[in-house]
Amino acid sequence: MPALELSSLSKSFHTVAALKDVTLTVEDREFLVILGPSGCGKTTLLRCIAGLEYPDAGEIHIGDRCAYSARSGTALSPRERSIGMVFQNYALYPHMSVWENVAFGLRMRKTGKGELGERVARALQMVDLEGFEKRSPKTLSGGQRQRVALARTLVTEPSVLLFDEPLSNLDPKLRVGLRSQLKQIHEQTGATSVFVTHDQNEAMILGDRVAVIQNGTIAQVDEPRRLYHYPVNVDVAIFTGNPHTNVITGQIHQSDERVLLIPDSDPYCFLPLPDVFRPHAGASVTVCCRPEDVELVADPADDEGRLEVIAFNPEAGRAVVHLRLGNDPRQVLAVSSTRELKHIKRTANAGIRIIRGNLYTGETGFLLGSFGQPAIPQRVHRQIRQ
Ligand code: ADP
Ligand code: MG
């Protein structure tokens, strides 16, 4: 049975529709990440699950219990839901010690002294804070405070853990450290988790699956690799780019030998496409491809398009090359071997070959087809780590 089921949830604040018809299932022991830009409805969704906010429509099931149903009028209070939540700002009780902060939830539940002591010790051990029991939150760093907040939530053993951007107030080094610690804790406890972030890196590393939310709607739910290689629409492709996704709009043109993209921003810069797109000749499309999917060609054939080289960014054994395509303000990024780079000068022209990519209908449309992408079988039964 799924740990959490959301069916057709909608929630508006006056005229702002924060959630629109959100349907999502979280499996038992799964780590599901909700990824989306600021203001897209992530916090509202978590608050609805926790019972801090009531949706206008839809249903929420936690395990085998109905926690909310607009239709039947069921609305469990936050206390009745067995949900733990960790927020962006670590809301610790400032006048209590670390130990007391972590013990607080169990005290409220009147847990016996012996069990309480054991569980607090175990939670502090999980977040690596043994020896900090007597410290006051004031004397801790941001990362340590967030670990206390995590221990305080873990100790109550909720059936679902909710995280609202818990790492985004930390400096980058701490963030990476705590991220791996979270992953370890999840492997140890197997606690079903819903983790909200606007950081696609964090999402890809932590998530068993990632749900991308745009303007209050779930655009795609997939495991990270599938999300990266087969984004369902142009916005998801752009949002999952790390750090950049090439977006080229144009029209498909066919000749006897070739299928070409004629870019809107430079109709003389033909870009070859695989033959499978021949049936779409005449269609307006958007091609999205990651920089590593585009190869730079120092000396392209006469009938291939050329782009202006505007900058190089050398990395280990290769370089990322920034190119201008006609009057398009978006740069095209391609990779080049350092050997090939020797033949290329800034402000000179070079060709590109798109070896992997996805084609979408029109300017902002939906996935029409993919080429060169790895085959990623869709799992029928999800394999959850035991
Ligand atoms: P996110 O967490 O993804 O940044 P939120 O869920 O906080 O997004 O907000 C989604 C939308 O709902 C935003 O437009 C926000 O301004 C609006 N919103 C959220 N909470 C309230 C509220 N209590 N009153 C009015 N508008 C709200
Ligand atoms: Mg938020």
Side-chain angles (χ1 to χ4, degrees), residues 135-156:
R135 296 271 289 269
S136 147
K138 280 197 293 289
T139 68
L140 302 179
S141 70
Q144 288 166 338
R145 280 184 220 171
Q146 195 57 308
R147 274 146 61 197
V148 177
L150 179 59
R152 195 180 54 177
T153 306
L154 286 171
V155 81
T156 61

Side-chain angles (χ1 to χ4, degrees), residues 35-37 197-200 212 214 234-241 245:
L35 172 68
T197 180
H198 63 269
D199 177 334
Q200 63 89 19
V212 181
Q214 294 171 330
V234 175
D235 288 334
V236 173
I238 293 170
F239 201 68
T240 52
T245 296

Side-chain angles (χ1 to χ4, degrees), residues 39-307:
C40 71
K42 304 181 297 295
T43 295
T44 305
L45 184 61
L46 287 195
R47 287 175 58 83
C48 286
I49 299 170
L52 300 169
E53 205 81 72
Y54 292 130
D56 304 325
E59 293 194 351
I60 301 173
H61 287 262
I62 301 170
D64 56 2
R65 285 205 305 167
C66 177
Y68 184 82
S69 167
R71 202 159 29 105
S72 74
T74 309
L76 297 187
S77 71
R79 271 171 193 283
E80 295 168 302
R81 295 194 183 198
S82 178
I83 295 271
M85 193 150 166
V86 182
F87 301 91
Q88 183 171 348
N89 46 353
Y90 11 84
L92 301 177
Y93 301 112
H95 56 283
M96 292 184 191
S97 69
V98 166
W99 191 93
E100 286 165 337
N101 262 284
V102 176
F104 186 77
L106 295 181
R107 283 237 168 102
M108 297 297 284
R109 288 174 176 75
K110 311 236 181 310
T111 309
K113 215 170 169 191
E115 187 190 340
L116 182 139
E118 270 170 37
R119 281 169 69 174
V120 172
R122 203 161 53 228
L124 285 171
Q125 186 196 359
M126 255 189 249
V127 300
D128 254 341
L129 281 179
E130 295 147 297
F132 285 73
E133 290 81 356
K134 295 206 172 70
R135 296 271 289 269
S136 147
K138 280 197 293 289
T139 68
L140 302 179
S141 70
Q144 288 166 338
R145 280 184 220 171
Q146 195 57 308
R147 274 146 61 197
V148 177
L150 179 59
R152 195 180 54 177
T153 306
L154 286 171
V155 81
T156 61
E157 296 172 3
S159 53
V160 179
L161 272 170
L162 306 179
F163 297 93
D164 194 359
E165 312 213 30
L167 308 180
S168 51
N169 273 353
L170 305 176
D171 67 56
K173 218 170 131 193
L174 272 178
R175 199 182 308 163
V176 171
L178 196 48
R179 188 168 74 193
S180 5
Q181 203 169 15
L182 264 180
K183 192 139 177 111
Q184 263 174 19
I185 290 171
H186 180 251
E187 270 156 28
Q188 273 174 35
T189 62
T192 305
S193 305
V194 181
F195 184 101
V196 157
T197 180
H198 63 269
D199 177 334
Q200 63 89 19
N201 245 332
E202 205 163 278
M204 297 289 190
I205 289 173
L206 284 172
D208 290 323
R209 285 186 308 157
V210 177
V212 181
I213 178 161
Q214 294 171 330
N215 297 320
T217 305
I218 305 245
Q220 183 167 7
V221 190
D222 260 318
E223 45 192 296
R225 240 161 61 88
R226 175 170 283 278
L227 185 65
Y228 190 74
H229 290 288
Y230 299 94
V232 293
N233 64 38
V234 175
D235 288 334
V236 173
I238 293 170
F239 201 68
T240 52
N242 179 21
H244 177 90
T245 296
N246 294 309
V247 178
I248 305 172
T249 56
Q251 214 180 49
I252 298 182
H253 178 79
Q254 65 172 337
S255 67
D256 286 345
E257 314 90 73
R258 300 240 232 186
V259 178
L260 300 163
L261 180 75
I262 303 184
D264 294 335
S265 59
D266 182 354
Y268 297 103
C269 184
F270 311 135
L271 300 173
L273 286 177
D275 218 54
V276 290
F277 294 113
R278 193 174 284 279
H280 299 292
S284 288
V285 296
T286 300
V287 177
C288 291
C289 46
R290 314 294 188 186
E292 69 270 22
D293 299 336
V294 184
E295 279 175 2
L296 195 78
V297 184
D299 192 15
D302 285 345
D303 65 343
E304 282 182 273
R306 284 164 170 73
L307 295 81

